[in-house]
Amino acid sequence: LNVRGAPLEMVRHDLSEAAGYIIVLETEVKGKLDVWSNQPVTQEEALTILNSALSKNGYAALQNGRSLTIVSKETAKKRDIPVKSGNNPLSIPKTDEMVTQIIPVKFINAAQLTQNLQPLLPSEASMTANEAGNALVITDTQASIRRITEIIHALDTSGSEATTVHVFALQYADAKQV
């Protein structure tokens, strides 16, 4: 994979030819790509590279078998994208694949957390709180969701972890009076 200053249209065509993807455009794709590798790349690596290039230009590739549908990121949020669940940031890969992530919260209020985290999200991301299940629902790239999940993981701790209790045995005083 060696492209320098290539239009995304050409890269899309080459990916279709080399990796066997059927590419469906639902929006006009504009932008350029600079990528090179001295080693061959796998089909999955090529798709990851395409997703990154598309993401930087405001698009997303939705995969269904061999078919890749190219849409705007805004459209992708409302389409059939993977839905994942979990609050462990280490289990979320740093990729530009669009997903919806359900993040359960244990000790803090999900609605309040949504208000606190909203300024940290990219403009094209969406986040809502499910108050009944005390969870956040975020749709964005996995890399962005992983970052937010790391913040949530750091904030969502019980008070008992931050509090310590010391017991002092009284030798010369009455406990009720002290």
Side-chain angles (χ1 to χ4, degrees):
L1 184 64
N2 291 305
V3 290
R4 293 188 174 129
L8 282 173
E9 180 71 24
M10 186 182 88
V11 174
R12 177 189 59 79
H13 179 268
D14 291 347
L15 183 64
S16 173
E17 190 175 297
Y21 285 114
I22 301 163
I23 299 183
V24 179
L25 285 181
E26 289 193 5
T27 186
E28 185 180 350
V29 178
K30 296 180 181 179
K32 295 191 181 270
L33 177 65
D34 287 305
V35 170
W36 56 92
S37 172
N38 293 330
Q39 304 296 320
V41 295
T42 66
Q43 188 175 4
E44 293 81 24
E45 290 171 328
L47 183 56
T48 298
I49 292 166
L50 177 66
N51 269 332
S52 293
L54 289 170
S55 180
K56 288 177 186 166
N57 288 283
Y59 308 107
L62 307 178
Q63 185 175 6
N64 184 7
R66 284 186 36 223
S67 176
L68 291 177
T69 304
I70 310 297
V71 297
S72 69
K73 276 188 167 182
E74 196 61 38
T75 301
K77 290 192 297 189
K78 297 172 177 74
R79 297 288 290 273
D80 185 20
I81 59 175
V83 176
K84 302 188 176 200
S85 181
N87 59 2
N88 182 359
L90 300 177
S91 66
I92 303 170
K94 289 184 178 181
T95 67
D96 288 315
E97 178 186 5
M98 291 282 293
V99 299
T100 297
Q101 182 86 23
I102 300 168
I103 304 169
V105 183
K106 295 177 185 171
F107 301 108
I108 50 182
N109 182 288
Q112 180 62 45
L113 191 58
T114 300
Q115 292 175 358
N116 295 341
L117 295 177
Q118 199 68 47
L120 302 176
L121 284 176
S123 60
E124 64 272 358
S126 68
M127 177 171 50
T128 185
N130 176 280
E131 293 187 51
N134 205 38
L136 299 180
V137 180
I138 305 175
T139 300
D140 198 10
T141 63
Q142 287 189 306
S144 177
I145 291 172
R146 179 179 173 141
R147 177 178 165 267
I148 293 297
T149 306
E150 287 173 348
I151 295 168
I152 293 168
H153 190 71
L155 294 173
D156 191 28
T157 59
S158 71
S160 64
E161 292 177 10
T163 306
T164 58
V165 176
H166 293 283
V167 177
F168 297 97
L170 299 176
Q171 294 178 2
Y172 305 107
D174 180 34
K176 288 181 180 179
Q177 289 179 346
V178 172

